Amino acid sequence: LIRDWREKHHRSDAILFWHEGQVRAETADTEVAIALFRQSLKPDAPGNRAWNAYVEATLAFMAKDRPALLRAHETLLQVEPPEDMEVKDGKVDVTMDNGQTYTLRWPPNIDVVEGLMHCFDADYATAYGQACRKAGAPVGHQD
């Protein structure tokens, strides 16, 4: 559906490629997922560093390239928050357009990347899940 909508509306938004890639990854359509994830990379610019490191980590996970995953994780950890955001104990408060404030870990998607690391030998759907994101999750295959 995502592909069909994207093609019908002639859209090439990175996030559309990303979400289509996730669906493909969850169904073990690995080669297509990797190609879609690559298309979700954004131009090299300071505001895109966190996103691109997250994408690179996911690509490394999909290719089962642990050293590349560790490098992407390290790159993500080096991303500085915007000047108007204060990191306290590894977390930031983000206020949404509707006024609600959420406390999130910094940098963005670090919990997902660490889940991919904790469950490196698992399939994407498992490794992306909440159980693998928890601190101390077993490293390796999860059934």
Side-chain angles (χ1 to χ4, degrees), residues 65-127:
D65 184 344
R66 190 182 303 267
L69 176 55
L70 296 175
R71 284 191 304 273
H73 177 255
E74 187 59 34
T75 299
L76 185 56
L77 288 174
Q78 300 306 313
V79 173
E80 295 290 329
E83 289 183 18
D84 63 342
M85 227 180 243
E86 182 180 354
V87 178
K88 290 183 184 176
D89 299 322
K91 298 179 181 173
V92 295
D93 290 329
V94 178
T95 303
M96 308 307 282
D97 290 338
N98 64 6
Q100 286 188 300
T101 300
Y102 295 93
T103 300
L104 306 171
R105 286 187 60 203
W106 184 266
N109 295 307
I110 191 66
D111 59 329
V112 178
V113 172
E114 290 174 354
L116 299 177
M117 293 167 60
H118 290 147
C119 297
F120 183 76
D121 293 325
D123 60 80
Y124 178 80
T126 301

Side-chain angles (χ1 to χ4, degrees), residues 31-45:
E31 288 182 32
V32 174
I34 288 171
L36 290 161
F37 287 147
R38 282 192 180 121
Q39 290 181 73
S40 75
L41 287 164
K42 296 180 180 181
D44 189 22

Side-chain angles (χ1 to χ4, degrees), residues 1-7 11-42 51-52 54-56 58-60 62 124:
L1 288 174
I2 296 170
R3 180 202 61 216
D4 292 349
W5 187 91
R6 181 175 47 77
E7 289 176 355
R11 299 294 295 263
S12 60
D13 307 48
I15 199 69
L16 294 174
F17 288 114
W18 176 258
H19 286 296
E20 183 183 345
Q22 286 186 300
V23 172
R24 302 290 185 159
E26 288 181 3
T27 60
D29 193 353
T30 304
E31 288 182 32
V32 174
I34 288 171
L36 290 161
F37 287 147
R38 282 192 180 121
Q39 290 181 73
S40 75
L41 287 164
K42 296 180 180 181
W51 174 258
N52 286 341
Y54 172 47
V55 173
E56 292 292 347
T58 303
L59 286 165
M62 296 298 293
Y124 178 80

